Amino acid sequence: MDNKLLRMRIFRQMIGYYLLFLLCQIGGEMIVLLTSGEVPMAAQNDAAFAQLVLECVSRHPYACMLGTYCLLFVILLYKKARKRQIVIPMVPAGRMTAAQAVSGVVMGAAGCMWSGIVLELISRRTAEASPFTQTVTVVDPVWMEVLAIVIAAPLMEEILFRGAIYSRMRVLTRPLAAVLCQAAVYAAMYGDTTSMIWGFLFGVILGLSILRTEDLRAPVLIHIAYNAVTFLSPRFYDDLFSARGVTTTGLIVSGLLLAAAGIVFFREPRNQTPEVM
C-alpha cells in the first residue's frame, strides 16, 4: 500500500475512534440528563438551560461515566458481531506471567502516587490547586464511584484503546507506531494540556505493556491499580502529603517502586504456555 494512502487510513481510523468515544460520552451524559429529572425540558432561556445541564453533569460524573462505557460496550459488541475487523485480544494464550501481573499492579499504584505528587509540587510553585485537593459537589453514591473509576473505566478504556485501536493500528503500521497512535487518541480525550500530556505518557506505558505481553490483561491490571489509588488518594491525601518533607519522601519512594516494578515487568520473559490468572 502506498505510504500516503496508509497514513490517511491510519488518520481516519484514529479520528473515527476518537469520535466514537466522544459520541458515547455525549450519549452517557444525555442518559443521565433524561433520567435524573434535575433538568426541566423547558427553561427560561438557552443560557439558563445550559447552566442546569452543566450543574447536573457535574453532580453526576460517575453516572455519566457508566453511561458512556455502557454505550461503548454495546457499540463495540455490535461492530464485532457485524465483523468489522475489531480485534479484542482479551486472553490470548495467557502470555502474561505471574511476576508481570504483580509488578504491573505495583507499577500502576506507584505511578499514580508519583504523578500525583509531581502535580502537587508543580501546583505549589504555580499557586494552583492540586488535583487531589480539588472538590466537586457530587451526589453519586460511593459504590457508583468505585464501579465507574476502578472497574468500568479501566476495562472499557483498555478494550477500546489497547484492544480495538491498538490491534487495528498493528494491522496498518509497525508495533511502536501503533503504540504511539493509540496513545495519541487516548490523550485526545482530555481537555487541558497537562492532562493530555499525562494521558499520552500513560497511554504509551499501557501500550508498551500489551506490546510486551500481547495480553490485554496487562494494561487492564495496571489501569485498575492506578485508578484504585486515584480513588483512595483524596481520602488520605491531607494526612500523608500535607508536609513538604513527606511529599518529597513519597516522591522518592514511589519513584523507586515505579522504576523497580517497570524493570521487573518489561524484563520478565514472555510466558509461552497458558496459565490461569
Side-chain angles (χ1 to χ4, degrees):
M1 182 181 297
D2 183 75
N3 288 335
K4 184 177 180 179
L5 293 177
L6 179 60
R7 287 194 296 268
M8 288 298 298
R9 188 174 180 184
I10 292 174
F11 180 76
R12 288 197 300 269
Q13 290 279 343
M14 293 173 63
I15 294 298
Y17 280 116
Y18 172 73
L19 293 178
L20 171 63
F21 188 87
L22 185 62
L23 178 63
C24 291
Q25 191 173 27
I26 296 173
E29 293 176 355
M30 290 301 300
I31 291 174
V32 172
L33 293 175
L34 294 174
T35 58
S36 65
E38 298 181 13
V39 180
M41 291 298 100
Q44 295 179 351
N45 51 61
D46 293 340
F49 181 77
Q51 182 65 28
L52 290 174
V53 169
L54 291 175
E55 291 177 357
C56 180
V57 172
S58 65
R59 284 194 298 269
H60 301 279
Y62 308 116
C64 292
M65 287 177 63
L66 289 176
T68 299
Y69 295 125
C70 287
L71 284 175
L72 183 60
F73 181 71
V74 170
I75 292 175
L76 287 178
L77 279 184
Y78 171 77
K79 291 175 72 68
K80 189 173 180 63
R82 295 282 295 178
K83 298 180 179 179
R84 299 288 183 85
Q85 296 180 344
I86 299 298
V87 182
I88 304 177
M90 194 61 184
V91 188
R95 296 186 179 182
M96 179 176 62
T97 65
Q100 285 176 323
V102 174
S103 60
V105 171
V106 175
M107 186 165 55
C112 181
M113 296 305 299
W114 187 84
S115 61
I117 296 172
V118 169
L119 290 176
E120 166 64 16
L121 294 175
I122 293 175
S123 68
R124 289 178 180 178
R125 292 182 177 275
T126 59
E128 296 179 356
S130 169
F132 283 121
T133 58
Q134 293 175 356
T135 57
V136 179
T137 303
V138 177
V139 298
D140 291 337
V142 176
W143 67 264
M144 185 175 291
E145 183 179 359
V146 174
L147 183 61
I149 293 179
V150 183
I151 299 176
L155 284 175
M156 289 312 305
E157 288 180 8
E158 295 314 310
I159 288 176
L160 175 63
F161 294 101
R162 262 62 65 178
I165 298 180
Y166 171 76
S167 299
R168 188 60 181 149
M169 291 298 107
R170 282 212 56 174
V171 176
L172 298 175
T173 186
R174 296 179 180 179
L176 185 57
V179 170
L180 297 177
C181 287
Q182 60 82 27
V185 181
Y186 182 68
M189 293 193 310
Y190 300 93
D192 59 284
T193 304
T194 303
S195 297
M196 290 181 69
I197 295 174
W198 166 89
F200 180 79
L201 295 176
F202 191 45
V204 169
I205 293 174
L206 294 172
L208 290 175
S209 70
I210 193 173
L211 175 62
R212 174 61 179 162
T213 62
E214 298 184 7
D215 193 332
L216 192 59
R217 293 173 299 179
V220 167
L221 281 177
I222 296 173
H223 205 152
I224 288 176
Y226 190 102
N227 283 18
V229 176
T230 301
F231 168 76
L232 294 173
S233 293
R235 290 156 175 80
F236 58 78
Y237 178 85
D238 292 334
D239 296 332
L240 290 182
F241 302 115
S242 57
R244 181 177 296 275
V246 176
T247 303
T248 305
T249 303
L251 180 67
I252 296 173
V253 172
S254 60
L256 290 175
L257 282 174
L258 176 61
I263 292 173
V264 172
F265 184 91
F266 289 105
R267 294 192 65 178
E268 179 73 9
R270 292 180 179 176
N271 181 19
Q272 300 299 332
T273 59
E275 71 176 35
V276 179
M277 294 300 301

